[in-house]
Amino acid sequence: AQSVTQLGSHVSVSEGALVLLRCNYSSSVPPYLFWYVQYPNQGLQLLLKYTTGATLVKGINGFEAEFKKSETSFHLTKPSAHMSDAAEYFCAVSYTGNQFYFGTGTSLTVIP
Amino acid sequence: EAGVAQSPRYKIIEKRQSVAFWCNPISGHATLYWYQQILGQGPKLLIQFQNNGVVDDSQLPKDRFSAERLKGVDSTLKIQPAKLEDSAVYLCASSLGTADTQYFGPGTRLTVL
């Protein structure tokens, strides 16, 4: 079955430190890949997505992710964490634009 | 541009009762999605519409859940009868087409007692 795995349900980083949120997918067919952020009591917002082309994708708020086919990964990074980055982050995959699967989420805490 | 609207925002019912949720997508968006997000989990796709046709409803519990998008715009999701395990946030999203960016509404938080 197609699925997506997010390693680490909770991640804590200090303000100004590197943010790394991990996402791996299981599929022999390269999927479309997404990262969403969910702030408390708000809807999900797209951070970035990969469909085709350049494997390093830049998104909003300074986030970026790299699609690595050999590792079936799509990890999310940000060089310097801000307090405002504290939220729930979801990785998602889709196959041909349908059959969307979300990971279980990673809660990011930023320590002042 | 107005976002995806959902109502109600909160609903509390007793088990075996019925409930309906409403979603108004962004104008011009052909694709509409309903997701169920149980506390501590990621959203699970229940049903995907392309205009007023169903693209995917493989994870919709059809014995109790139903959804429609009669005119290809607004959509309703119904649960009848509700069970305790249906307690979740129900999210609606829309996109211009399949594989395009999905825009999510604020969700409806359902509590089944």
Side-chain angles (χ1 to χ4, degrees):
Chain A
Q2 323 292 10
S3 69
V4 56
T5 303
Q6 291 185 241
L7 294 176
S9 58
H10 294 88
V11 171
S12 294
V13 299
S14 298
E15 190 175 15
L18 171 71
V19 176
L20 171 61
L21 305 182
R22 300 178 185 274
C23 173
N24 288 87
Y25 65 91
S26 60
S27 170
S28 58
V29 177
Y32 299 154
L33 295 154
F34 307 81
W35 275 100
Y36 284 86
V37 61
Q38 187 174 34
Y39 298 102
N41 298 315
Q42 295 187 28
L44 281 82
Q45 179 183 7
L46 181 69
L47 278 176
L48 49 80
K49 67 178 180 180
Y50 169 80
T51 53
T52 60
T55 56
L56 181 62
V57 181
K58 295 185 183 298
I60 62 171
N61 301 337
F63 285 93
E64 62 182 37
E66 185 171 10
F67 168 57
K68 293 187 176 180
K69 184 178 178 181
S70 61
E71 299 177 7
T72 61
S73 69
F74 192 58
H75 302 329
L76 181 71
T77 61
K78 182 174 181 178
S80 177
H82 294 167
M83 295 298 295
S84 60
D85 294 328
E88 189 85 15
Y89 291 81
F90 292 95
C91 182
V93 301
S94 172
Y95 300 92
T96 66
N98 302 318
Q99 291 287 314
F100 285 89
Y101 298 93
F102 280 77
T104 53
T106 297
S107 177
L108 177 66
T109 299
V110 181
I111 303 167
Chain B
E1 180 183 82
V4 176
Q6 290 187 248
S7 67
R9 290 295 310 277
Y10 304 91
K11 189 73 176 180
I12 300 174
I13 62 172
E14 295 187 350
K15 59 183 179 182
R16 291 188 289 274
Q17 286 187 321
S18 301
V19 65
F21 312 127
W22 174 81
C23 173
N24 185 10
I26 293 173
S27 177
H29 281 194
T31 310
L32 185 147
Y33 311 80
W34 282 104
Y35 291 88
Q36 179 192 58
Q37 187 177 18
I38 293 173
L39 187 65
Q41 299 181 19
K44 182 180 81 172
L45 180 66
L46 293 176
I47 189 167
Q48 177 180 344
F49 291 96
Q50 180 70 17
N51 295 308
N52 60 350
V54 175
V55 174
D56 178 20
D57 64 356
S58 58
Q59 299 192 90
L60 185 74
K62 298 181 184 64
D63 58 333
R64 298 185 300 107
F65 286 64
S66 64
E68 60 183 13
R69 193 184 185 200
L70 291 176
K71 297 182 179 180
V73 181
D74 293 6
S75 177
T76 56
L77 176 69
K78 298 179 181 178
I79 307 175
Q80 180 179 8
K83 293 185 175 181
L84 296 177
E85 58 261 36
D86 298 332
S87 294
V89 176
Y90 290 84
L91 298 167
C92 180
S94 71
S95 63
L96 281 171
T98 58
D100 289 318
T101 298
Q102 293 184 44
Y103 295 87
F104 283 80
T108 296
R109 183 177 298 277
L110 174 67
T111 302
V112 182
L113 303 176

